[in-house]
Each structure stands twice: as structure tokens, then as C-alpha cells.
Amino acid sequence: MKMTTYARIAGTGSGLPDKILTNKDLEQFVETSDEWITSRTGIRQRHVVVEGETTCDLAERASIAAMQAAGVTAADLDMIVVGTTTPDLIFPSTACLLQHRLGANGCAAFDVNAACSGFIYALSVGNAYIRSGVAKTVLVVGAETLTRMLDWSDRNTCVLFGDGAGAVVLKADTETGILSTHLHADGGKKELLYNPVGVSVGFKPEEKNAGVRVLMTGNEVFKHAVKALDSLVDETLAANGLDKADLDWLIPHQANLRIIEATAKRLQMPMDRVIVTVHKHGNTSAGSVPLALDEAIRSGKVQRGQLLLLEAFGGGFTWGSALLRY
Ligand code: UT7
């Protein structure tokens, strides 16, 4: 009898810049307050890159930690998938830069751009390659330096984001692993959350601050996120014939504590079964879910055999989930 092959999380890791910016620090250069940021978002501080520090630097740190935890070497990797919307360069991909740093030259390596859902999208790719038997060991990373494209005079956006990377090593396993992934997108809502700078639309690198500018209609994004995540968690449980009571942990995208609480309420989950890192990291886009997952595992909260629901929502719009038995 042929056994089912699952993609199992064999190890996780984090990469955060050393520099921390608190809400009080932000009060110095934008009209805001610690009280406003904390009460509206739950964010108290965020890590930010310094001059010369890149997305690949953070991805490398997270990847080395994940590979050590999984007990795999560069030679074991069949594929590297990096979810990012802030690559070091337009090309080569951050995954290619990372592959060379890790000494894994030769394996497949590519980026996935799904904004804040980038890690979930990348995870679904790694899962599909392992489930189909094409790959045995896949490094999946979510890595961002969103603060590189913020307008630091725009209080609507600059208080929300931080930098960071998380990584997981997926290994083929017959016992346990990712049960399903669910991906969605709606390109019709572009104007609510985007960066208008690009290559093909006419990139003018000589312009001052070219590339800087995340534009967001926050309260509209908020409403869409809550609605999309509500139906996404229902869809994910239904696809597996499971009930919300079966879940051990919710590991959500960390954009806003109020969005996280709304999803937890939908699932009737007490907040002590929800992993929250938004107060420390801010919104690290594709970095947020794997950073939260790594913290949950390394702190000993999440135990082998438990049922985890991962979800994210972001620019595109994109949204997605993964249900897994850790
Ligand atoms: O990860 C990708 C997906 N992104 C998200 O999920 C973000 C979703 N959106 C949000 O998290 C929230 O909408 C925000 C945190 C961005 C904003 O919170 P809100 O409760 O929706 O506030 P709002 O946008 O409706 O603005 C309320 C007020 C406005 O003032 P008026 O017009 O009422 O006088 C804003 O100008 O708050 C003002 N405001 C600020 N005040 C102090 C906006 N930003 C700030 C600020 N400090 N940083």
C-alpha cells in the first residue's frame, strides 16, 4: 500500500535586525502617540534594518537557525522559496542570493510575491512539491524590509511596519505535516494597499525617494481583512472535516491586534491559544507568520502533534491559510 507523504515542519528560525524603534521614538518625527498606536494596533515596537542591512541578511539568519533546528545541511535542500515583496534586487531573486550564501548552489530557488501572504503562498509551494514527491527537503522563508519603502512622514503607514524574516525547513514525512493550504487573491482592490513604483510602469531611479511609498486606506483594508479571514478559516476547517474546537493554536499574520482578536473570536478561541508577536515586531509582512511560528515553537508553547492554523492577508489583495499537524 502506498503511504501518503506529508510536508512536515522539521525546523524553524528567525532573523530580526538588532535595531529597535519604539512608539516613543516615532513620536519624535511624526504626529502620533504611543497611546494611539498601542490602542489601534497593539504595536509597541518594531525592529528596523540599518544602512546596508538587507532582506537577504535577515533571511540568511532565519534559514541557518531553521536548518540547524531541522538537522539539515545545504546539500540536503532540493528547493528554496522566499516570500518577499522587498527583495534585495529586482533580480536575481532573493532566493538565489540566499542559496549562494547558504552554499546550496544547484537546487531550485525562486521568490514568491504575495505581499503579507507571501509566506503562506511560499509554504503552499513547498508543500505541493513535497506532496507530489518531486522534492524531499524545502527551505521556505518569509523575509521583508518593508521599512525601506515607507514614507516616514506618513503617520498612516510608518507606525505599522517592521523588518524581519522567518524560515521553516519542510521535510517529506509519512506521519504528520501540512494537511491543506488555501490561497486566494482579488486583484480588483489594488488601490487600497500598494506601492505605485515599479519597473514596467516607468521606474525613475533618479527621482528622490523613488521606491518609497506604501499607500494604504487602512480602515478599508481592515474590513476586507476581517471578512476574508472569517470565511478562510471556515473554508480551511470544512475542507478537513474538522471543527474549530479541534484547533490547538492560531498563528495569524501580525498586522493589527484587533484583526487577530476578530479571527480568534470567530474561532471561539481564547487569546491564550493565539500566538501574538505584533507588539514586538509590528507588521513584518511575509516575515510575520514564520516569526510567530518560530517563537511559538522555541518557547515550547506549540508541541509535536498539535493542530495549528496559520493565516495571512495582505496587498493584492491576497490571503491564505495552512492547517498542519506539527
Ligand atoms: O498586513 C497587510 C494588511 N494591513 C492591515 O491589515 C492593516 C489594516 N488596517 C489597520 O490596521 C487600521 O485600519 C489602522 C491601524 C491602519 C488604522 O486604524 P483605524 O482604527 O482604522 O483608524 P482610521 O484609519 O479610521 O483613522 C482614525 C483617525 C484618523 O483621524 P480622523 O480622520 O478621525 O481625524 C487618522 O488621521 O486616526 C488618525 N491617525 C493617526 N493618529 C495618530 C492615523 N494614523 C495615526 C497615527 N497616529 N499614527
Side-chain angles (χ1 to χ4, degrees), residues 32 36 40-41 116 155-156 218-219 253 255-256 258-259 283:
T32 191
W36 190 95
R40 298 286 179 127
T41 70
C116 294
R155 69 177 186 176
N156 290 299
N219 45 14
H253 174 46
N256 187 316
R258 292 184 291 143
I259 297 177
N283 181 350

Side-chain angles (χ1 to χ4, degrees), residues 148-151 157 194-197 207 209-215:
R148 288 276 186 247
M149 57 176 180
L150 291 177
D151 175 351
T157 51
Y194 71 118
N195 183 330
V197 177
E207 273 180 14
N209 289 336
V212 172
R213 264 184 314 158
V214 173
L215 300 174

Side-chain angles (χ1 to χ4, degrees), residues 26 30-33 36-37 39-41 43 115-117 154-161 193 216-223 225-226 229 253-259 283-285 288 312-315 317:
L26 288 170
V30 69
E31 185 64 37
T32 191
S33 65
W36 190 95
I37 302 171
S39 61
R40 298 286 179 127
T41 70
I43 300 167
C116 294
S117 311
D154 177 12
R155 69 177 186 176
N156 290 299
T157 51
C158 78
V159 305
L160 304 173
F161 297 97
L193 176 54
M216 177 164 74
T217 312
N219 45 14
E220 282 299 315
V221 175
F222 189 105
K223 283 185 246 167
V226 171
L229 292 171
H253 174 46
Q254 310 281 324
N256 187 316
L257 186 59
R258 292 184 291 143
I259 297 177
N283 181 350
T284 56
S285 185
S288 97
F313 181 93
F317 288 145

Side-chain angles (χ1 to χ4, degrees), residues 33-270:
S33 65
D34 176 38
E35 199 283 324
W36 190 95
I37 302 171
T38 307
S39 61
R40 298 286 179 127
T41 70
I43 300 167
R44 292 181 183 274
Q45 61 165 54
R46 68 287 291 143
H47 291 250
V48 294
V49 284
V50 294
E51 188 70 33
E53 201 173 18
T54 71
T55 295
C56 192
D57 292 334
L58 305 180
E60 183 184 7
R61 244 188 264 176
S63 300
I64 289 170
M67 288 165 68
Q68 277 171 355
V72 304
T73 65
D76 297 320
L77 299 179
D78 299 316
M79 177 179 284
I80 300 173
V81 192
V82 177
T84 187
T85 188
T86 46
D88 287 27
L89 305 169
I90 290 168
F91 71 89
S93 67
T94 304
C96 285
L97 305 179
L98 176 65
Q99 182 216 50
H100 182 59
R101 298 245 198 124
L102 297 173
N105 306 54
C107 73
F110 55 95
D111 289 358
V112 169
N113 178 350
C116 294
S117 311
F119 175 76
I120 300 283
Y121 267 64
L123 190 72
S124 82
V125 174
N127 178 51
Y129 271 90
I130 289 178
R131 287 291 289 246
S132 64
V134 176
K136 285 201 160 42
T137 309
V138 179
L139 174 65
V140 180
V141 185
E144 303 275 20
T145 48
L146 247 288
T147 67
R148 288 276 186 247
M149 57 176 180
L150 291 177
D151 175 351
W152 289 100
S153 65
D154 177 12
R155 69 177 186 176
N156 290 299
T157 51
C158 78
V159 305
L160 304 173
F161 297 97
D163 302 324
V168 307
V169 173
L170 293 179
K171 278 174 88 171
D173 198 297
T174 49
E175 293 213 344
T176 182
I178 297 173
L179 300 173
S180 68
T181 60
H182 303 264
L183 306 180
H184 294 280
D186 179 359
K189 302 290 187 304
K190 185 199 87 182
E191 271 73 20
L192 296 178
L193 176 54
Y194 71 118
N195 183 330
V197 177
V199 181
S200 191
V201 293
F203 179 53
K204 300 186 185 67
E206 69 282 4
E207 273 180 14
K208 193 170 173 287
N209 289 336
V212 172
R213 264 184 314 158
V214 173
L215 300 174
M216 177 164 74
T217 312
N219 45 14
E220 282 299 315
V221 175
F222 189 105
K223 283 185 246 167
H224 282 285
V226 171
K227 210 170 146 210
L229 292 171
D230 271 1
S231 55
L232 181 65
V233 297
D234 292 348
E235 173 193 337
T236 308
L237 289 168
N240 291 279
L242 290 167
D243 185 76
K244 38 187 178 276
D246 296 320
L247 289 173
D248 291 301
W249 293 99
L250 172 65
I251 306 186
H253 174 46
Q254 310 281 324
N256 187 316
L257 186 59
R258 292 184 291 143
I259 297 177
I260 296 172
E261 286 170 344
T263 308
K265 196 172 165 202
R266 173 76 166 202
L267 291 168
Q268 294 169 346
M269 286 184 91

